[in-house]
Amino acid sequence: MESDIIIREPHSTDGYDIYRLIAECPPLDTNSCYANLLQATHFFRTSAIACRGSDAVGFVSGYLIPGQSDVLFIWQVAVSEDARGCGLAVRMIADILNREWCRKVRYLHTTITKANLPSRSLFKKVSRLLGTGLREQDFFGSETHFAGKKESEYLFVIGPFDHDEASALQI
């Protein structure tokens, strides 16, 4: 049930739960547990965890791009199978955008493979809700950056949007 899910900033003690959640959400790339601990501590202001009781059911990691305080890069979005279909990913992104720390954000960036249709759909929806454009461009090529061992990643650029419009994401 959607109403029993709490969205908040992550804490260092959430690191392992985040690691486990991402591992249960293919096709997401798993990072080391240590990387997830860093996300939950160094990037807590620009990340969100969704919990049902003591269980992590969603996580969005993001960071402000160095030297670009108006750009929030969304690194990963994970939602457990039993929490899908209730707009949780949009709610977590909205939670981040509506924080004081992100008041200057006017653009969202993320990278997505061609095959990751759920993520493509999510960010197209976010763009529509923000009432702004979405551009897609080559970013990390399969051969150039991944030695042909991973699909190419395409940069999605959403914006510009007015910070006050971010409240439109509250659904």
Side-chain angles (χ1 to χ4, degrees), residues 89-124:
V90 172
R91 289 175 47 216
M92 289 187 290
I93 292 169
D95 184 81
I96 295 166
L97 286 174
N98 285 300
R99 294 177 188 165
E100 186 62 33
W101 188 261
C102 291
R103 296 254 346 131
K104 294 180 181 178
V105 171
R106 301 290 179 262
Y107 294 89
L108 287 180
H109 288 190
T110 194
T111 61
I112 309 173
T113 63
K114 290 282 187 194
N116 191 337
L117 300 179
S119 285
R120 288 175 162 272
S121 178
L122 167 65
F123 284 96
K124 287 177 182 177

Side-chain angles (χ1 to χ4, degrees), residues 4-48:
D4 63 346
I5 296 175
I6 304 297
I7 298 171
R8 61 173 172 76
E9 293 177 345
H11 308 293
S12 65
T13 54
D14 296 315
Y16 185 78
D17 291 334
I18 293 165
Y19 175 77
R20 179 199 46 78
L21 173 66
I22 291 170
E24 294 172 359
C25 294
L28 293 180
D29 292 330
T30 54
N31 298 298
S32 69
C33 185
Y34 185 76
N36 297 130
L37 285 166
L38 291 175
Q39 289 172 320
T41 54
H42 291 185
F43 303 115
F44 72 94
R45 288 186 178 106
T46 52
S47 298

Side-chain angles (χ1 to χ4, degrees), residues 8-170:
R8 61 173 172 76
E9 293 177 345
H11 308 293
S12 65
T13 54
D14 296 315
Y16 185 78
D17 291 334
I18 293 165
Y19 175 77
R20 179 199 46 78
L21 173 66
I22 291 170
E24 294 172 359
C25 294
L28 293 180
D29 292 330
T30 54
N31 298 298
S32 69
C33 185
Y34 185 76
N36 297 130
L37 285 166
L38 291 175
Q39 289 172 320
T41 54
H42 291 185
F43 303 115
F44 72 94
R45 288 186 178 106
T46 52
S47 298
I49 190 168
C51 297
R52 180 181 289 134
S54 61
D55 296 327
V57 296
F59 180 66
V60 172
S61 60
Y63 58 88
L64 298 176
I65 295 179
Q68 299 180 41
S69 62
D70 64 339
V71 180
L72 175 65
F73 185 90
I74 300 294
W75 183 347
Q76 281 186 315
V77 177
V79 177
S80 68
E81 196 171 328
D82 67 331
R84 293 180 188 156
C86 65
L88 183 57
V90 172
R91 289 175 47 216
M92 289 187 290
I93 292 169
D95 184 81
I96 295 166
L97 286 174
N98 285 300
R99 294 177 188 165
E100 186 62 33
W101 188 261
C102 291
R103 296 254 346 131
K104 294 180 181 178
V105 171
R106 301 290 179 262
Y107 294 89
L108 287 180
H109 288 190
T110 194
T111 61
I112 309 173
T113 63
K114 290 282 187 194
N116 191 337
L117 300 179
S119 285
R120 288 175 162 272
S121 178
L122 167 65
F123 284 96
K124 287 177 182 177
K125 180 178 183 176
V126 168
S127 175
R128 281 192 311 274
L129 289 170
L130 287 171
T132 192
L134 182 150
R135 295 185 322 276
E136 180 179 345
Q137 60 196 55
D138 292 340
F139 198 62
F140 292 132
S142 176
E143 294 300 323
T144 305
H145 298 97
F146 301 114
K149 302 204 183 307
K150 183 181 178 330
E151 285 183 75
S152 295
E153 293 273 351
Y154 295 87
L155 179 66
F156 275 43
V157 177
I158 298 171
F161 55 87
D162 184 277
H163 186 270
D164 293 334
E165 292 172 359
S167 63
L169 292 176
Q170 298 294 344

